[in-house]
Amino acid sequence: MATIAGHRDVKKLIAGEVYQAEDIVHKVVFAINIRPDPGSEIPFYKIRNFIYYLKFELGYNIVSVTCDSYQSVDTLQQMSLRGFNTKTLSMDRSRVPYDTLKNAINEGRLIMPYIPHLEKELLELEDDKMVGKIDHPLDGSKDTADAVAGAVFRSLDYKELLAAQ
């Protein structure tokens, strides 16, 4: 879960020139890694129920729910029926979400709790320039990193609404 926490002045290198510019500060509220028991599957209905709980019981202002395209059609349909704005975002088709996250980190525009598993995934990411995508090592994963990069990237879709909060 990510939101926009405000703005700050940063130095940006554009076409060999350094510019001072105002840019968005992102805040990762939390990231959860869910692993099913061996031999079982992730219960997607529990994830939906958790999001419903956050919005309808705790009052979180959840503007949008984004899923990758793998096994997400039912979740997106169910969330849409409950009034959520839903979108699909494949983290394997574009590197832009990861570039957005990287820039926010490098420019000091990311507020995030310390999450050891996420740190491990981010540090192990591999930039495959041949195919133009970010990937994980053969014995690693990037599910939590995908979720955070996607949430930070998608928060830009709602920057006017979120910045007014």
Side-chain angles (χ1 to χ4, degrees):
M1 177 181 269
T3 189
I4 293 174
H7 299 82
R8 69 176 288 211
D9 288 334
V10 294
K11 291 182 182 178
K12 293 191 173 272
L13 182 65
I14 302 171
E17 298 283 327
V18 177
Y19 294 92
Q20 187 79 13
E22 183 178 82
D23 209 339
I24 291 170
V25 175
H26 300 272
K27 180 178 182 181
V28 174
V29 180
F30 64 82
I32 299 172
N33 182 303
I34 300 170
R35 291 186 197 154
D37 292 331
S40 65
E41 297 177 341
I42 293 173
F44 291 107
Y45 76 94
K46 287 185 177 182
I47 296 169
R48 289 193 299 269
N49 287 342
F50 176 63
I51 296 169
Y52 299 150
Y53 175 74
L54 290 173
K55 182 170 181 74
F56 300 121
E57 299 295 323
L58 298 182
Y60 277 74
N61 184 19
I62 299 174
V63 176
S64 178
V65 174
T66 303
C67 296
D68 65 8
S69 55
Y70 180 70
Q71 296 182 336
S72 65
V73 172
D74 182 62
T75 290
L76 292 174
Q77 288 174 350
Q78 294 297 322
M79 301 299 288
S80 183
L81 288 171
R82 294 289 302 264
F84 289 88
N85 181 340
T86 60
K87 291 188 178 189
T88 301
L89 175 64
S90 173
M91 298 300 291
D92 293 327
R93 293 196 180 118
S94 171
R95 60 176 299 118
V96 175
Y98 271 107
D99 289 341
T100 301
L101 179 65
K102 178 182 174 182
N103 289 338
I105 291 169
N106 289 340
E107 295 170 357
R109 299 182 295 105
L110 182 68
I111 301 166
M112 183 170 68
Y114 177 66
I115 305 166
H117 179 78
L118 174 61
E119 178 184 52
K120 180 180 186 310
E121 284 190 358
L122 289 171
L123 290 172
E124 292 179 349
L125 289 174
E126 298 174 350
D127 188 356
D128 187 339
K129 296 196 186 294
M130 295 295 287
V131 295
K133 74 177 212 175
I134 306 297
D135 211 344
H136 58 81
L138 289 175
D139 61 343
S141 66
K142 68 179 185 87
D143 293 333
T144 307
D146 278 356
V148 168
V152 166
F153 176 70
R154 278 294 184 215
S155 70
L156 294 173
D157 291 347
Y158 304 97
K159 61 185 173 188
E160 292 83 16
L161 177 63
L162 293 170
Q165 294 179 6

